[in-house]
Amino acid sequence: MTSVEEMEREGKQLIEQYQGIENDQNKIEQSVQALRSQILENQTVGEELGELGDDAEVFKALGPVLVKMELEDAKATVKQRLERLEGEVKRLDEAFKTKNDEKEKLRVSIVKLQEGIRAAQTKGAAEEE
């Protein structure tokens, strides 16, 4: 049987892993928020491009220079960008769910370990009497 000290050490390691997963989830949430902001921005651009007539001139900023683009090319570029961003959000959502599953397994392990520590301490206290 493992000692209370060993169980407490293991518990500390599990808690550190749990906190690490929470930090990872926070980073994922921040990334998703940034991507959703980009999606909104690109949706707005797509709507604006949709309202333009076929003879409208469209320009793309490349550094300090504006480069003329065909309207259909601009629409296709925005559509592709939206698909890529939405795919990335979906991937990050899955990563978040995976981290959540890992966190739940750790939580269960921590609770079991805490129960084991309490039981060992109670047993030790009873033996001292």
Side-chain angles (χ1 to χ4, degrees):
M1 179 130 192
T2 59
S3 71
V4 172
E5 292 85 18
E6 290 172 340
M7 291 167 53
E8 287 175 341
R9 255 193 313 272
E10 183 181 347
K12 188 174 182 179
Q13 289 174 342
L14 291 174
I15 289 170
E16 287 172 0
Q17 288 175 8
Y18 187 91
Q19 291 169 338
I21 290 172
E22 283 185 328
N23 289 338
D24 292 345
Q25 283 184 309
N26 287 336
K27 290 175 187 175
I28 290 171
E29 284 178 336
Q30 290 172 352
S31 295
V32 167
Q33 286 176 350
L35 289 169
R36 289 204 169 115
S37 175
Q38 290 178 20
I39 287 171
L40 245 143
E41 190 176 301
N42 279 277
Q43 286 172 336
T44 302
V45 170
E47 290 169 7
E48 292 292 325
L49 290 174
E51 293 176 9
L52 295 176
D54 291 337
D55 59 341
E57 291 184 350
V58 179
F59 295 88
K60 178 180 180 178
L62 290 175
V65 179
L66 290 176
V67 178
K68 189 173 182 176
M69 286 185 77
E70 293 296 321
L71 180 59
E72 291 307 313
D73 290 342
K75 288 179 181 179
T77 300
V78 170
K79 182 180 176 187
Q80 288 172 347
R81 192 176 302 129
L82 280 169
E83 289 170 356
R84 182 184 54 79
L85 291 169
E86 288 166 352
E88 186 66 13
V89 167
K90 190 176 287 188
R91 185 189 69 76
L92 288 173
D93 283 343
E94 288 300 317
F96 188 89
K97 289 176 188 172
T98 300
K99 292 287 182 187
N100 226 27
D101 293 343
E102 291 174 21
K103 196 168 75 169
E104 181 58 22
K105 288 176 185 173
L106 277 173
R107 188 191 68 75
V108 169
S109 296
I110 291 168
V111 168
K112 286 181 181 177
L113 193 60
Q114 287 173 336
E115 290 170 353
I117 291 171
R118 278 191 216 101
Q121 288 172 335
T122 304
K123 182 180 176 186
E127 289 175 356
E128 289 178 6
E129 292 178 0

